[in-house]
Amino acid sequence: MVTEEPSGEGSSKNVSYDWQVNKHEMKMRGQHLLETGLWADCHFLLGAPPHQEVIPGHKLILAMASPVFEAMFFGGLAEKSDPIPICDVQPEAFKALLEYIYMDSIKINTVDKACELCYAAKKYMLPYVVEQCTRFLWADLKPSNVCRAYEFARLFEEHRLMMTCMEMICTRTMEVIKDTSFEEVEISTIHTILDQEFLSVDSELSLYFALSRYSEKHTAQGESSSSRATPESSSGGSANVRTFDIREALKKIRFLTLTPQQFAEGPGRSTLLTQTEAFAILMNISSPNSVCPMPEGFSTSRVSRIQNVVVESPSPQDGSESPNRIIPGNSPMVDEMHDVRNMMDSQRYYCVRSIRQQTDYLNTSVLDCSVTFSVNRCICITGVQVPTQVLGESNMQRYHDGSLPERYSELLYAHLLDSRGSRLTYTHCTSKVRFDSMLEISFDRPVFIQRYKRYKIGIVFNKVGWYPMAECLPKKTYQDVVFSFGVGMPNESVRDGLIRAI
């Protein structure tokens, strides 16, 4: 076997000229190039100092797999730097991505790796890898990783997976909150859990102690663990942002479902509550007619969240089976979830808002409109309807030759947000539409809407012209679903009369 120092770019090691002889498959040859760096014409800088490493790549192979790499190396603004820093992808995830590109190999063994690899695959537009990551999460879902999977599903708008994760959280809550992984979840996930109407917990004490452990871990560096919290110290300054969020979560715990003894021996001794708050809560637990009001913002619910009945869970998108989960037997959500899943694949309904009056409104550049809403039953939203431009005298003046087209090009964007402002879905619409008609904007997938939660739909119109602005009634009932519009702060709904139907 003859070996020589390669004369071109790539590895500096002695490389055999007949290495190809024993590589019977393309993926074997790709593995050799990836591992040796032979003929490499680009390099990537992974990780953060002081643990950075440089790995080689081949522009042609990378561009064959990813349109992002194609644009990076062969587009009009081709990357000139070498090595190319990869700052937003974990090193192991990027290496796993290269293994797929060079060797058609996808190795996923943990939820964290699935989430990190999926992020990289989304960034470099490798949909098959995204699909495999999502499938792994479906198959490996359990209480110790369900919160991480939920956060992944929320980030990447995998709404069916989000729904299944939340079902497991609601029905196996004790297992979820007792696992050490619960201390690593995002505070927004804890808020979502505490917003649920039904949770499988022994009592609200379980939720309180879980939140207390979370607080001890995440606020120990910023505050003395022996000092009592005060509203003033918990709400100001960037160093206390997490403390403020934890106190907001604390307000969602249903202390009024506890006995006086339970509260006094647990939350009553907490450093998360001020003495004034603890006293007021204890007075309200002891006497429902107490003259001492509950502290501002704290839950006044006396309804227990306890539940436990087995129902069938939704299956992954590939149709494979997933295990049954426990869902509240006394909860209307059981029937509602079944109804929602059936409707997602069959029936479609339109909640058309009732109009009081209508006037024309001129869009001179960009026109934003939004409406907040809530519903009394769980549903799925697939899109919205908005009016197109009016063909009135005002619009006619734009056409100087007197000829009016039947259609015009509409361009708009739509998004759906939850009560915390997190984006649930986003889409854009470019279409030739008729004047004086309705335009339907479909989201890329149905979005699950929980009852009595606040959501916000926003639309951005980008075409100059006159639009029919309407003043709509605040409520609309259709198919036993009551829509309440304009909920929350008044300034959150802006020119909402341009959103005519959901």
Side-chain angles (χ1 to χ4, degrees), residues 164-327:
T164 299
C165 290
M166 188 50 62
E167 283 187 19
M168 179 177 284
I169 291 171
C170 290
T171 60
R172 302 177 67 177
T173 314
M174 291 301 295
E175 297 175 75
V176 172
I177 63 178
K178 285 184 176 180
D179 195 90
T180 55
S181 62
F182 185 74
E183 298 173 8
E184 304 299 332
V185 305
E186 297 176 6
I187 187 63
S188 61
T189 301
I190 294 181
H191 278 265
T192 301
I193 294 173
L194 294 177
D195 280 336
Q196 302 307 305
E197 195 69 26
F198 301 95
L199 294 171
S200 183
V201 291
D202 298 334
S203 76
E204 293 289 310
L205 275 180
S206 301
L207 298 173
Y208 162 75
F209 286 127
L211 183 61
S212 180
R213 292 195 313 272
Y214 185 91
S215 174
E216 288 175 3
K217 176 162 186 175
H218 292 281
T219 62
Q221 296 179 352
E223 300 177 346
S224 169
S225 60
S226 62
S227 64
R228 238 182 212 280
T230 64
E232 291 79 10
S233 68
S234 299
S235 59
S238 59
N240 287 326
V241 169
R242 183 174 289 277
T243 305
F244 173 76
D245 289 337
I246 289 173
R247 278 186 54 81
E248 289 300 303
L250 185 71
K251 295 177 181 180
K252 299 175 186 289
I253 294 179
R254 300 179 181 183
F255 291 115
L256 299 187
T257 63
L258 304 177
T259 65
Q261 182 178 354
Q262 285 176 323
F263 181 81
E265 294 178 355
R269 300 177 178 178
S270 168
T271 59
L272 294 176
L273 295 169
T274 66
Q275 291 182 346
T276 303
E277 290 169 342
F279 176 78
I281 294 172
L282 184 59
M283 290 293 291
N284 279 270
I285 293 174
S286 303
S287 173
N289 299 319
S290 173
V291 295
C292 181
M294 282 288 286
E296 183 179 358
F298 278 74
S299 172
T300 58
S301 175
R302 297 178 181 271
V303 180
S304 172
R305 314 190 210 216
I306 301 174
Q307 42 153 326
N308 94 52
V309 154
V310 176
V311 298
E312 182 184 1
S313 283
S315 297
Q317 292 178 336
D318 61 359
S320 61
E321 294 184 1
S322 64
N324 290 343
R325 311 207 188 284
I326 302 174
I327 287 286

Side-chain angles (χ1 to χ4, degrees), residues 336 339-353 375 377-385 440-442 446 476-483 500-502:
E336 290 175 20
D339 292 343
V340 167
R341 290 178 200 136
N342 292 334
M343 289 170 59
M344 284 170 65
D345 299 320
S346 56
Q347 297 168 300
R348 177 177 293 186
Y349 300 100
Y350 292 81
C351 172
V352 181
R353 302 177 67 189
V375 291
R377 294 186 60 187
C378 297
I379 61 173
C380 271
I381 288 182
T382 61
V384 295
Q385 283 188 339
E440 182 165 326
I441 308 167
S442 295
K476 179 70 175 183
T477 302
Y478 189 77
Q479 293 291 325
D480 296 326
V481 179
V482 179
F483 286 79
R500 296 294 180 82
I502 297 178

